[in-house]
Amino acid sequence: MTATSSLTAPLRLWARLPLWQQIVTGLALGVLVGIAFGKDALSLAPLGQLFLNAIKMLIVPLVFVSLVAGITSMRDTSKLGRISAKTIAIYMVTTAFAVSIGLLFGGLFAPGEGLNMVASEAPSAAQTPSLIDTLVAMVPSNPVNAFAQGNVLQIIVFAIGLGVSMNLIGEKAEPAIKLFNSLAETLYKLTDLVMRLAPYGVFALIAGVVGSHGAEVLLPLAEVIGVIYLASIVHVLLVYGGLLSLLARLNPLRFFQGILDALVVAFSTSSSSGTLPVSIECARKNLGVSEGVAGFVLPVGATINMDGTAIYQGVLALFIAQAFGIDLNAGQYLMIILTATLASIGTAGVPGAGLIMLGLVLSSVGLPLEGVALIAGIDRILDMARTTVNVAGDLMTTTLVGRSENELDLDIYNSSDKE
């Protein structure tokens, strides 16, 4: 064997690996480098930022174009309404399950007991934003401004209105529909090209996270981290796997195999919106969901489905109550479930949004906001878990809706050759 062939052999072996195996390898190597080099691993930050920027570059155009293309592929307005109702109903139900599981695990493991913290001032309950305010904020007064600011919820509303209008005017909209379909395919290809950077971007991102958050930060709060991760795993396996088995009669193992790429990217980037391009690719190529359903359900889910955040809020609300020695009554438990479920609609799918929403949930039941400072240092670690759950929920809902509408290719779903 020549020297050249001995050098190229590992590269050929690497190239033959499925993308998800390359990403997992990058993840594992990033953890090792972060542990070994500590804060020096932050020198890899530019590589991680390059990957994040490439993903963020796709978010706004992909949400807009895929939504319009998805809606115009469903000329039957009753079908569009049916899919919308199913999507929102599933997201609401699974979010309620998620926050309930969070409260259950927080009560069972009681990670905050024994901390004996004292609030500097008596907490007072705050009012959640009104339904009217939420609805008004959804409609952009200036769509161009919504695009510039990356306001995904407003972009979704504008895209839905544009897509429905195209369907209503019929033949005159055909040139525009063809343009959006062409743009959608182009963006899907661009997504595929960007994903080739994923193993290297994930490596750099995880190395920086592990290097920045050493044992001195993680060990004192290891129990609450463990409880949230355990609750997240249980929710994904039991709730999502159970719904796929019972309602859709699908093999959950095939589902989890098909979404590995998206889960690893979600875990490393902590952004459900940032993972959206990968989620759409997984739904179409690995799960067999039609372009129309994937293009509609996933962008909506990246905005309103926050199951992971709901688990996080349920566990941490009890953790903070226990840490400050506050007993919650049944009404407060119910308020936590209700607030976390409804507030998830307005939570942005970006890193750190869950911490902001935690403050809202705490104030709604009169728990001290100082509790947020307890977990601020480890929020990035928790963000990784909750984002992974969010993305898994988006894809599960897309699969359920696709199956119920006969928009799921079972040959692709059941294929053992998942890239």
Side-chain angles (χ1 to χ4, degrees):
M1 181 181 292
T2 65
T4 302
S5 61
S6 64
L7 288 174
T8 58
L11 295 177
R12 289 198 301 269
L13 178 62
W14 173 258
R16 285 199 296 268
L17 288 177
L19 180 61
W20 71 266
Q21 291 183 15
Q22 293 183 4
I23 295 174
V24 170
T25 302
L27 180 71
L29 290 175
V31 171
L32 293 176
V33 168
I35 293 172
F37 293 95
K39 293 188 181 297
D40 289 338
L42 291 173
S43 61
L44 295 169
L47 178 59
Q49 191 61 48
L50 173 66
F51 175 62
L52 278 182
N53 287 350
I55 288 288
K56 290 176 181 178
M57 171 185 71
L58 292 167
I59 296 173
V60 168
L62 189 62
V63 168
F64 180 63
V65 171
S66 63
L67 256 178
V68 173
I71 290 170
T72 54
S73 70
M74 296 182 284
R75 302 300 177 91
D76 184 353
T77 55
S78 63
K79 180 179 181 180
L80 178 60
R82 192 168 61 244
I83 288 177
S84 300
K86 289 178 182 178
T87 299
I88 294 173
I90 293 171
Y91 285 146
M92 286 297 194
V93 169
T94 58
T95 300
F97 267 113
V99 69
S100 300
I101 287 174
L103 289 171
L104 174 63
F105 275 69
L108 285 176
F109 292 94
E113 286 189 357
L115 291 183
N116 301 319
M117 300 193 67
V118 179
S120 61
E121 59 182 31
S124 59
Q127 297 296 319
T128 60
S130 69
L131 178 61
I132 296 298
D133 290 340
T134 301
L135 291 175
V136 169
M138 288 171 59
V139 180
S141 59
N142 184 344
V144 175
N145 195 42
F147 279 88
Q149 294 180 351
N151 190 319
V152 177
L153 189 57
Q154 291 187 352
I155 293 170
I156 287 174
V157 171
F158 180 62
I160 291 173
L162 186 62
V164 170
S165 298
M166 287 183 182
N167 284 341
L168 291 176
I169 64 175
E171 187 177 346
K172 291 182 179 180
E174 287 302 322
I177 291 173
K178 289 179 180 178
L179 173 62
F180 273 96
N181 287 332
S182 178
L183 285 172
E185 291 299 326
T186 303
L187 286 169
Y188 296 148
K189 184 59 181 177
L190 181 57
T191 298
D192 181 63
L193 296 175
V194 168
M195 280 306 298
R196 296 182 187 183
L197 291 172
Y200 315 102
V202 166
F203 164 76
L205 289 169
I206 291 300
V209 169
V210 174
S212 297
H213 299 81
E216 68 277 6
V217 176
L218 302 182
L219 289 180
L221 295 171
E223 188 174 358
V224 73
I225 295 172
V227 171
I228 288 177
Y229 272 70
L230 180 60
S232 298
I233 292 170
V234 168
H235 180 76
V236 169
L237 294 180
L238 293 188
V239 176
Y240 297 161
L243 288 174
L244 287 169
S245 297
L246 296 175
L247 298 184
R249 304 294 180 186
L250 295 171
N251 183 346
L253 293 179
R254 294 293 192 199
F255 169 77
F256 293 123
Q257 184 183 7
I259 67 171
L260 276 173
D261 290 356
L263 295 187
V264 177
V265 172
F267 186 78
S268 56
T269 63
S270 297
S271 172
S272 50
S273 293
T275 311
L276 182 59
V278 190
S279 298
I280 291 177
E281 187 172 34
C282 285
R284 295 173 68 242
K285 290 187 175 181
N286 298 345
L287 301 179
V289 180
S290 70
E291 180 182 338
V293 171
F296 177 80
V297 178
L298 285 171
V300 173
T303 305
I304 72 171
N305 176 43
M306 297 292 159
D307 287 3
T309 305
I311 292 171
Y312 161 95
Q313 290 165 348
V315 172
L316 290 180
L318 272 188
F319 167 72
I320 291 167
Q322 294 157 3
F324 285 92
I326 300 171
D327 293 325
L328 300 177
N329 57 40
Q332 288 173 308
Y333 278 102
L334 184 61
M335 178 60 72
I336 291 172
I337 294 173
L338 182 63
T339 304
T341 301
L342 295 179
S344 67
I345 296 176
T347 305
V350 296
L355 197 62
I356 298 170
M357 293 309 303
L358 177 62
L360 173 62
V361 172
L362 294 179
S363 63
S364 72
V365 291
L367 290 174
L369 294 179
E370 296 163 77
V372 174
L374 279 176
I375 48 84
I378 59 166
D379 186 61
R380 184 67 164 85
I381 306 299
L382 302 178
D383 209 352
M384 295 159 75
R386 63 179 181 252
T387 303
T388 306
V389 175
N390 292 343
V391 169
D394 295 343
L395 285 158
M396 185 279 302
T397 301
T398 303
T399 305
L400 275 186
V401 173
R403 177 69 161 155
S404 69
E405 294 290 329
N406 294 317
E407 298 274 356
L408 182 76
D409 188 326
L410 290 177
D411 289 336
I412 295 177
Y413 184 92
N414 292 317
S415 172
S416 60
D417 183 23
K418 305 292 187 188
E419 288 298 326

